[in-house]
Amino acid sequence: MKITVIGATGMAGSAVVEEALHRGHQVTALARSAEKLTALPEDFNLTTQVQDAFALTAADLADADVIVDAFATAPDEAYLHIDLATKLVSLLRGTDHPRLVFILGAGSLQTGEDKHLFVNDIAKDPNAAGFINIPQSQLKELNFLRDVDNVNWVGVSPAANFHPGDAVPALLGVDNLLFNAQKESGTSAGTMAVTILDEIENPQHHQTRFTVADK
């Protein structure tokens, strides 16, 4: 399968690249930094490309079977999460191919007895002013996607603590923030990557978001 990864040098994107290569897929890794692209594994199935995601065209995406949006940016430009989602959707309106996979945030998940959005808890962090724009924008990104019914898309949210690390057994859910038996809510980049590749190879979700946590 031909998989294009946007934001291929970040924590999530690089893990997706490595897992896809491990499974024998052809991967095109897109990123803004040529230097960071050189840190990806050497593999005959990997093509790297310095690319501004906002300059992509429909022709650039036509050869892919799946496009994984692992784009990350600074909090003061968090709105770009929404802008990129709208661009990718606009390029693929009315199509089933390629499939779009969005790595979303945990802020849009529900938690507590009253099922409030986790982003409200994040906002209570004393240091939230420095990063709250990111979960808020990823919530807006999901709300936009939920109205898209003529593009083949799926979204995946991590648990509260999205961190580097190898894959471990996973818990899957839909809209609720997940906790393991130790009352921990975390997702490693490796677990996210395995979950995304499992979904790519054996689609279980369509035009919806689901969530994954470390078990």
Side-chain angles (χ1 to χ4, degrees):
M1 200 174 295
K2 296 179 180 179
I3 301 173
T4 295
V5 181
I6 298 171
T9 60
M11 179 186 73
S14 60
V16 171
V17 169
E18 291 187 25
E19 182 64 21
L21 291 173
H22 175 71
R23 300 190 188 201
H25 296 288
Q26 297 180 48
V27 179
T28 299
L30 308 182
R32 291 165 287 185
S33 168
E35 181 180 0
K36 291 181 179 180
L37 283 169
T38 63
L40 293 175
E42 292 187 11
D43 192 293
F44 68 91
N45 276 328
L46 176 64
T47 301
T48 61
Q49 182 176 333
V50 177
Q51 175 71 56
D52 177 358
F54 292 92
L56 287 167
T57 66
D60 293 328
L61 305 178
D63 195 42
D65 296 305
V66 179
I67 299 156
V68 179
D69 179 2
F71 177 81
T73 192
D76 61 348
E77 293 185 324
Y79 59 85
L80 293 176
H81 287 282
I82 308 160
D83 291 354
L84 183 55
T86 58
K87 176 180 177 61
L88 293 173
V89 166
S90 70
L91 292 176
L92 298 175
R93 284 286 190 186
T95 67
D96 289 324
H97 187 273
R99 191 181 190 201
L100 283 172
V101 179
F102 295 92
I103 300 179
L104 302 167
S108 57
L109 295 167
Q110 300 172 354
T111 190
E113 293 183 2
D114 61 351
K115 300 294 185 182
H116 65 272
L117 292 179
F118 181 55
V119 70
N120 296 331
D121 293 343
I122 298 173
K124 296 175 183 177
D125 186 310
N127 300 311
F131 62 84
I132 191 65
N133 287 352
I134 291 177
Q136 288 175 339
S137 291
Q138 289 177 318
L139 170 61
K140 293 175 183 177
E141 180 184 8
L142 174 59
N143 287 337
F144 161 72
L145 290 171
R146 281 173 165 161
D147 286 330
V148 175
D149 58 7
N150 62 350
V151 172
N152 187 3
W153 70 271
V154 64
V156 190
S157 285
N161 178 20
F162 191 24
H163 57 88
D166 296 333
V168 299
L171 299 169
L172 297 180
V174 182
D175 288 322
N176 293 324
L177 185 69
L178 297 175
F179 294 83
N180 63 18
Q182 291 74 44
K183 306 301 182 184
E184 298 167 337
S185 181
T187 307
S188 70
T191 301
M192 173 63 76
V194 167
T195 300
I196 287 175
L197 266 296
D198 287 348
E199 175 66 24
I200 288 172
E201 293 177 343
N202 183 25
Q204 299 294 308
H205 304 85
H206 180 63
Q207 295 176 348
T208 191
R209 184 272 307 274
F210 68 101
T211 184
V212 58
D214 292 342
K215 191 170 183 179

